[in-house]
Amino acid sequence: MASTATIVVLSSLLVFAVGGTGFIYPQLIRSEQAVIVTVDSLTSGETDDVNFEYRAFRRPESGLLKDTFVVRIANLGMDSASNLEITLEHTPESTDWYKFLSTEKTFGDSKVEIMGERVLVEELEAGKTISLSFTVTMNITLIEVNNALQDRSQLIFRVVYDEGSVPDIKTYSVKIPPR
């Protein structure tokens, strides 16, 4: 009986120790920076972060699909993130399926420098968020040709910052609804 009680007490202490460490460990190793990036489309479609797709809601009769993508960057860490570079790229580059129109800062206090498809953010303070909108047009016929040739039409949002060990890259394959 004494050995059973000892086992119960020791196993309970072990469970509490492991459980307590589970709560304390994230606080002990919390990174000084935690930059989170999300991408949403505003007008003609939706971004799906599970399947990494941009899906248009409908096929415009003009054959050109215009949409605005909003990149939201939040710094949930304890220190500021500096020298953020946000770039919108596309593949394949050999066809004219994609045309860049404009970029603008839509939210946030951070100082930005906009250079077409590339935006530089000097500093994103801890606990702050910034939103940037990229407006593009896409040719539906050329997207279908690219996708049929297994050369997927993709939009690539790349976020790089000084203290980040790996760039945050969001890649979306463009999908058009059937006729």
Side-chain angles (χ1 to χ4, degrees):
M1 179 101 169
S3 64
T4 305
T6 305
I7 291 172
V8 168
V9 168
L10 290 176
S11 61
S12 298
L13 289 174
L14 179 65
V15 168
F16 286 120
V18 170
T21 305
F23 286 110
I24 295 171
Y25 184 73
Q27 296 299 322
L28 294 176
I29 64 158
R30 181 179 176 186
S31 63
E32 294 177 2
Q33 294 176 337
V35 175
I36 307 296
V37 179
T38 61
V39 178
D40 296 310
S41 61
L42 289 183
T43 53
S44 301
E46 65 183 355
T47 54
D48 178 358
D49 284 333
V50 174
N51 298 312
F52 303 107
E53 292 178 346
Y54 163 76
R55 292 187 294 263
F57 293 137
R58 58 181 163 54
R59 298 174 68 94
E61 293 189 21
S62 67
L64 295 176
L65 181 66
K66 180 179 177 183
D67 209 336
T68 299
F69 295 91
V70 176
V71 178
R72 292 178 183 88
I73 305 170
N75 183 0
L76 303 179
M78 296 175 3
D79 287 343
S80 296
S82 58
N83 298 324
L84 282 96
E85 180 178 332
I86 302 95
T87 309
L88 172 58
E89 303 168 359
H90 66 284
T91 60
E93 295 180 13
S94 59
T95 61
D96 294 329
W97 72 272
Y98 162 94
K99 183 177 180 190
F100 170 75
L101 296 178
S102 67
T103 302
E104 69 177 304
K105 179 176 83 167
T106 54
F107 179 79
D109 298 334
S110 299
K111 182 180 175 187
V112 299
E113 183 179 343
I114 297 174
M115 299 165 286
E117 296 166 287
R118 187 170 162 238
V119 177
L120 297 175
V121 179
E122 190 175 298
E123 180 180 34
L124 182 60
E125 295 177 12
K128 298 288 184 171
T129 301
I130 188 169
S131 294
L132 306 162
S133 65
F134 296 86
T135 304
V136 301
T137 59
M138 299 171 275
N139 185 315
I140 291 176
T141 304
L142 293 176
I143 289 170
E144 289 174 332
V145 169
N146 290 340
N147 291 348
L149 295 174
Q150 301 300 317
D151 195 13
R152 295 183 182 158
S153 299
Q154 293 182 325
L155 298 169
I156 304 163
F157 298 89
R158 182 182 309 268
V159 178
V160 180
Y161 57 103
D162 280 351
E163 294 82 7
S165 56
V166 181
D168 196 343
I169 301 171
K170 304 277 186 177
T171 302
Y172 298 97
S173 295
V174 179
K175 302 290 184 186
I176 304 297
R179 295 180 195 256

